[in-house]
Amino acid sequence: MHNFDTLGKKISMMDAVIETWIAKLGLTYNHYAVRYALAAADAENQPCTQKHISDEWLIPKQTVFNICKDYKEKGWITFSESTTDKRERLMHLTEAGRAQALPVWQATRQLGGNAIAQFGAEKTAQLFALMDEFCAVCEWQIARTTVDGEER
């Protein structure tokens, strides 16, 4: 098996682990991402926009818009105008929204913290550093390789 095929399988395995967690929470990926992002922004007292969620979680803007529209109708979020960009609408969790989003964020942070603690701080740092390095190598290769596989 080619190493790039193995990499694809390992990425799929990680995706499956994450999907199992999200399903255990009773959510779809898109709803999980929006709730997690809103809760994280709320907990860190940071602004949150639909564009931010779309960009960070790689979800189409229209999908994020539809989820946020639903959450607004349920009374989970409110919108306000950004003071720096009048086109931006900042989202804020209501108390009802916090009751829905914060448990998702807290449980995920606990799960991640426990997994990383069990895996070990040193191995985790190595893993992240190697992932960063590998992504940089792949980006470099992509930039210099044509579709027919020839190098530029």
Side-chain angles (χ1 to χ4, degrees):
M1 178 179 287
H2 193 273
N3 281 337
F4 211 72
D5 296 336
T6 303
L7 175 65
K9 288 184 183 201
K10 299 300 180 187
I11 291 169
S12 293
M13 286 173 56
M14 183 57 74
D15 284 343
V17 168
I18 300 297
E19 286 294 333
T20 299
W21 172 246
I22 292 169
K24 187 171 184 171
L25 294 171
L27 299 170
T28 65
Y29 176 83
N30 294 337
H31 281 271
Y32 169 83
V34 172
R35 288 189 201 187
Y36 187 93
L38 286 165
D42 187 74
E44 297 164 7
N45 201 26
Q46 296 292 319
C48 186
T49 65
Q50 293 175 14
K51 181 179 181 342
H52 167 78
I53 295 172
S54 177
D55 292 347
E56 184 153 317
W57 291 85
L58 305 175
I59 302 171
K61 290 177 191 173
Q62 188 63 44
T63 301
V64 175
F65 172 83
N66 290 337
I67 291 170
C68 291
K69 180 181 173 193
D70 179 49
Y71 288 2
K72 183 179 189 297
E73 290 170 2
K74 289 179 177 179
W76 294 358
I77 60 173
T78 60
F79 291 93
S80 68
E81 228 177 54
S82 170
T83 57
T84 57
D85 184 347
K86 299 294 181 197
R87 296 169 298 171
E88 266 189 341
R89 293 177 43 190
L90 304 178
M91 297 182 294
H92 312 277
L93 287 170
T94 64
E95 284 306 314
R98 281 186 192 94
Q100 296 297 319
L102 286 179
V104 169
W105 180 75
Q106 291 167 335
T108 300
R109 296 207 18 137
Q110 182 176 359
L111 170 77
N114 291 344
I116 287 172
Q118 184 177 346
F119 190 62
E122 187 176 324
K123 287 197 307 189
T124 299
Q126 289 173 340
L127 173 66
F128 293 159
L130 290 170
M131 289 171 75
D132 287 343
E133 185 179 346
F134 187 75
C135 284
V137 167
C138 286
E139 288 170 353
W140 184 82
Q141 286 293 328
I142 289 168
R144 62 189 298 256
T145 304
T146 63
V147 176
D148 61 8
E150 296 293 321
E151 287 190 18
R152 290 187 210 179

